[in-house]
Amino acid sequence: MVMHVTVSIAIAGASGYAGGEVARLLLGHPDVTLGALTAHANAGQRVGAHLPHLRALADRTFDPTSAEVLAGHDVVVLALPHGASGALAAELEARGEDVLVLDCGADHRLVDPAAWRAFYGSEHAGTWTYGLPELLHAGEHVATAQRAELAAARRVAVPGCNVTAVTLGLAPGIAAGVVEPTDVVAVLANGYSGAGKAAKTHLLASEALGSAVPYAVGGTHRHIPEIQQNLRAAGAADVTISFTPTLVPMARGILATATARLAPGVDAAAVRQAWERAYDGEPFVHLLPDGQWPTTAATLGANTALVQVAVDAAAGRVVTVTAIDNLVKGTAGAAVQSMNLALGLPEHTGLPTEGVAP
Amino acid sequence: MVMHVTVSIAIAGASGYAGGEVARLLLGHPDVTLGALTAHANAGQRVGAHLPHLRALADRTFDPTSAEVLAGHDVVVLALPHGASGALAAELEARGEDVLVLDCGADHRLVDPAAWRAFYGSEHAGTWTYGLPELLHAGEHVATAQRAELAAARRVAVPGCNVTAVTLGLAPGIAAGVVEPTDVVAVLANGYSGAGKAAKTHLLASEALGSAVPYAVGGTHRHIPEIQQNLRAAGAADVTISFTPTLVPMARGILATATARLAPGVDAAAVRQAWERAYDGEPFVHLLPDGQWPTTAATLGANTALVQVAVDAAAGRVVTVTAIDNLVKGTAGAAVQSMNLALGLPEHTGLPTEGVAP
Amino acid sequence: MVMHVTVSIAIAGASGYAGGEVARLLLGHPDVTLGALTAHANAGQRVGAHLPHLRALADRTFDPTSAEVLAGHDVVVLALPHGASGALAAELEARGEDVLVLDCGADHRLVDPAAWRAFYGSEHAGTWTYGLPELLHAGEHVATAQRAELAAARRVAVPGCNVTAVTLGLAPGIAAGVVEPTDVVAVLANGYSGAGKAAKTHLLASEALGSAVPYAVGGTHRHIPEIQQNLRAAGAADVTISFTPTLVPMARGILATATARLAPGVDAAAVRQAWERAYDGEPFVHLLPDGQWPTTAATLGANTALVQVAVDAAAGRVVTVTAIDNLVKGTAGAAVQSMNLALGLPEHTGLPTEGVAP
Amino acid sequence: MVMHVTVSIAIAGASGYAGGEVARLLLGHPDVTLGALTAHANAGQRVGAHLPHLRALADRTFDPTSAEVLAGHDVVVLALPHGASGALAAELEARGEDVLVLDCGADHRLVDPAAWRAFYGSEHAGTWTYGLPELLHAGEHVATAQRAELAAARRVAVPGCNVTAVTLGLAPGIAAGVVEPTDVVAVLANGYSGAGKAAKTHLLASEALGSAVPYAVGGTHRHIPEIQQNLRAAGAADVTISFTPTLVPMARGILATATARLAPGVDAAAVRQAWERAYDGEPFVHLLPDGQWPTTAATLGANTALVQVAVDAAAGRVVTVTAIDNLVKGTAGAAVQSMNLALGLPEHTGLPTEGVAP
């Protein structure tokens, strides 16, 4: 006899891009049932009017976002603007709900309250277990420690999408000591869905088509302390990073070019070995064959990260390029992957590994 | 005890866009095993170099396309330039293989050899069972006859992508007699993948980005006789159609605007009822709620067609708009759906119904 | 001795796409001086913050939109939401200003107040001279009558962008009697700038990229009566048109596929001759050589229209395809061209004829 | 009496993107006449079939590319694959032509033959005057020395497009000594036209749309020695640079993010002052107001470069972002600007300063 237990899941903020993507992935997950789908301004409206691509949900209706609506589920995924998730999580806590909560927002990612205050300008809501299973810890060749933490977690902070791309690109070199963490430079090409669904003039198609534009230049982007935290976890004593994202005309995708200084005396073979060891056997993170470079299109809709690394001896730098789908491996896929670990399910359950290309 | 029988499938032309998409879908199909993946110019090369989005196949190698390589599979899917599939199918036939063959090319779609000669300028390779399960036959309210034919088929001609979009848009009205088939006008916005992967100057990104351009204007497009054939199947005595596809800057997707004259004495309620009856219960074809119009993005990667219909009383015309992913419902998804029927599997097996959006 | 007189021009609504494009063109016009640039929400802000492409204006400031600010110029161009221009024009009138006013909005385009009320739902502000110099009048082989009207005009209604594309495509056939005006079907691929600069969710880059979507389907688009008016001017007794615009992922451009039934007894040579005669000698409207089809990219930034025509004998229809830049020939270029005529300047003054491609 | 002397110009390689753009700009230049337009594979064909946006040239025909055809013009612009221009220039030389030659290719840019051999693998064709008028020389606050060289030149090497963007971004800081040249990192978002018009699979629209992909990663790109050469000219003793271009889905445009380490003891005010002094008064290079970041769309079709600079104190780096149109300021505009200087014409003659946006 086979008994199939399904887990009930509610999504807060389901009409946005992140929440909608969580819903899309969970519709393909064999072990879950989608419970409440909540929204703010769109509460009471048909799901099909806002997420017309999700046929199975078309005739459902968004509930208002509240602790009452979210209560009673086994899992709650929060896909809300930063600042909103902390309060809601506290309400669920106060109700005594035994619930696994995954926060796709920034509120619970940082360990250091001072870093939170410096970059977000408010009080920190507390630190949750970090939802990047592939995060290398100092001394590790492959990621096991973070997975162990997630297996025991009831509160998970899903990483920022840019952070995931830069971390996956550089952490193997940091952990292996083959690159220096003190003068990292990362420049990213970003699809527009990372900027969310709120109607703003600079996000209009007319502005975006045929154009590239940077934002949050010069050390102001809120993902900076999170990248530093991850690279310190991988073994860096100190991390400095120049980080510049640029919007380019695509709906999804991050292509992160992240470079770090080659450590003294390290050769190209040692560099390649560091990345090979880190990602050999990873189900979602793939080091490409030497000479093949990642494209974001190859990750579209999939929970994969494609990574390549090269040594520029003349410049004294290691150059890594990482492609992810910002809404999948960068957000919703990371949430589901972490959820699987926290629920004791096989890590890859329900997560697409094949991109939709061309 | 559960015994799970898997079907072995070979794909000829697997390095192209259509063949690659068949492979993508079959990787998600629980009842099949991917056998030989063949290519012409790319034979001997790594699959990962050409289809980097298909991680599960990355380390496999393309075999050369030949009857020998394709032999011994339960199913063969042909994704070849038109003209090539006929000869290869004949070779398989000659070997006495008991194999289900699905041809994504045009060679076996048309019933009328004269129409083939007029539009393709060569001898006809013969007619196979037409792989559009939702094709309405005269007198039907819902599509059952075509499904019955496919259930018995061993040779399936997968429809042209534009044909599928226009047929799904108009056939309900033809079958119900609420529109006239004698002055159909269809104009399509087409993504570039429909033009294939061969390197041609007019298909370059530099030419495509920021531009729209028609092609095969004025009654020359080879999909015209196939549309006529389908609308005749739905009950039209005679069909005339002005058909104009236009390339627009997207990789995938067809948005087909197809209009036909309103039949005398028919009102808007009767029109809507014709489409509602036709698609009520269809797993992949969805009539949207009144007033909501299809977007191609909502079908990306999915085997769905989104349809809407409106009556323009002043113009005396019914306007239908249909969105599909040309590589899925327009090609590879239709192949898999037909294969499921021919193999006696549930029709929807392995076929995504949720698009990847935004 | 040469005396160079310059004309002072104010633009109302200069921070929007249409107004900004008028400014761009006028910066290249040798006989004008840009006076007040007004805006509503953006009044008081730097021009460079909103129109960063217009370097010559970067350090100027938007004035508020009012009759006081606009007074005292030789020419006023109104680039305002429909409904707003009528009142402002009346205020200028009341001040007794002897000024040439060109309205890029819809308020003064229609001759028939009933058509205005039916499609716009408000009282009609009155009819101005129609700013399409190439508009053929009944019995004309080449457009002279409309130019004569514009030469005498002090109030000009600039045509709608879609209207210009469809009219230029079909009017030669109507005027020559080679097509029938009673069952016209037009489907357009439209760039997003035609939808304006207001921040709306469905106009976001994330929604637009990789997608095509129709709007105002089924006889509701406000450009329909204006097309009918133009084709009647060209000699049609009665005009019916099915009109469907579709948004595709480009910032600018309209590709209008417009078809009409071939008149009885007319052959392909007669059809081609009608279009050749109409556009032979036109400075901005170009009939392409037989077999070459227009691309919108070829018109980008230019005041040109590229037109092609073909006969589909089997369908009994003439198919025309017209490409324009919606912001130039579709709006701002038409305004400048009409202004040139009204001021007695050479019609082509300051108007680019070379597109920016690829 | 006014006598207007016009200069006759031939373009070799006029059917490509660079050559076509030279033609477009020269059609707007008041002092030139377009002579021979030559092509290789397209010789004998209508210009309008390949450059449909250039209406004034539509009915002309491409001549074959040869010294005979190019002879007898005052100016020859070479827009050929690298390697081809050197031989052709030598032939013109051998004919004793007194002609101004501008080479849009790479053959004559580098001063150091060893650098040429290392990156291009062939013998160096010799060094010509470098066609970047804004190139700062050591000790200069504003660029005058390079302009003087160009005023005396008869052979001009037009810079590489990526090189121009990175040089304009960083040179002011190098010349002023406020940044260190020894660990420069540059990552660029590039439009596809920079890759040329040759039909290659990886340049297809289907591959490009919705994707970002790096190329020539890890110190192999041929523009690297040229950037080093320019920064040395500006005063750097030694230059090391990590340089990564990435293709993003736009037809034109380069957005170059170039960072360098802040020199010891330098503050943000000194940084800003260096860039302000360098570009104050420049007709084409614009430092944006503090806090406003460049968009490539704002430079489309114009000979402008938009530059911004910020200090990231935590990272110890200066970050510059530069936007140009790769075909204008990056290629054809630089050629015309240099030509103007070499002919003694006002530098800005015929060069657009207003972009086409949105």
Side-chain angles (χ1 to χ4, degrees), chain A residues 193-285:
Chain A
S193 60
K197 204 173 181 172
K200 297 172 185 172
T201 302
H202 75 286
L203 302 179
L204 287 177
S206 295
E207 301 293 313
L209 285 155
S211 200
V213 58
Y215 64 99
V217 191
T220 63
H221 198 287
R222 288 166 165 172
H223 283 173
I224 289 175
E226 192 180 338
I227 297 171
Q228 292 174 310
Q229 174 174 301
N230 288 354
L231 297 186
R232 278 195 300 264
D238 194 26
V239 181
T240 56
I241 177 163
S242 166
F243 173 85
T244 310
T246 57
L247 288 168
V248 301
M250 53 192 196
R252 293 187 178 216
I254 293 176
L255 189 84
T257 302
T259 87
R261 295 201 59 80
L262 189 63
V266 173
D267 63 10
V271 167
R272 185 147 192 97
Q273 191 188 34
W275 271 260
E276 281 175 349
R277 289 173 72 183
Y279 296 138
D280 182 37
E282 279 294 349
F284 298 116
V285 184

Side-chain angles (χ1 to χ4, degrees), chain A residues 17 192-194 196-201 203-209 248-251, chain C residues 17 192-194 196-201 203-209 248-251:
Chain A
Y17 291 147
Y192 273 79
S193 60
K197 204 173 181 172
K200 297 172 185 172
T201 302
L203 302 179
L204 287 177
S206 295
E207 301 293 313
L209 285 155
V248 301
M250 53 192 196
Chain C
Y17 291 147
Y192 274 77
S193 60
K197 204 173 180 173
K200 298 173 185 171
T201 302
L203 302 178
L204 287 176
S206 294
E207 301 293 313
L209 286 154
V248 301
M250 55 191 194

Side-chain angles (χ1 to χ4, degrees), chain D residues 15-16 65 75 109 138 156 180 183 195 224 262 270 344:
Chain D
S15 70
T65 301
V75 179
R109 293 174 191 157
V156 175
E180 297 179 354
D183 194 14
I224 289 175
L262 190 64

Side-chain angles (χ1 to χ4, degrees), chain D residues 136-152:
Chain D
L136 285 168
H137 287 223
E140 286 190 328
H141 291 146
V142 295
T144 58
Q146 194 64 26
R147 287 181 160 98
E149 290 189 18
L150 283 164

Side-chain angles (χ1 to χ4, degrees), chain B residues 3-86:
Chain B
M3 199 178 72
H4 191 195
V5 179
T6 67
V7 173
S8 71
I9 304 191
I11 305 173
S15 70
Y17 290 147
E21 190 70 357
V22 173
R24 183 181 76 85
L25 294 179
L26 292 179
L27 285 169
H29 194 295
D31 302 317
V32 309
T33 306
L34 271 179
L37 304 173
T38 83
H40 181 63
N42 300 323
Q45 299 184 31
R46 286 183 69 248
V47 173
H50 294 273
L51 306 172
H53 56 299
L54 302 184
R55 301 316 307 162
L57 305 177
D59 295 327
R60 292 186 53 175
T61 302
F62 290 114
D63 288 315
T65 301
S66 72
E68 287 68 32
V69 169
L70 298 173
H73 296 84
D74 301 313
V75 179
V76 171
V77 180
L78 305 173
L80 303 168
H82 82 82
S85 49

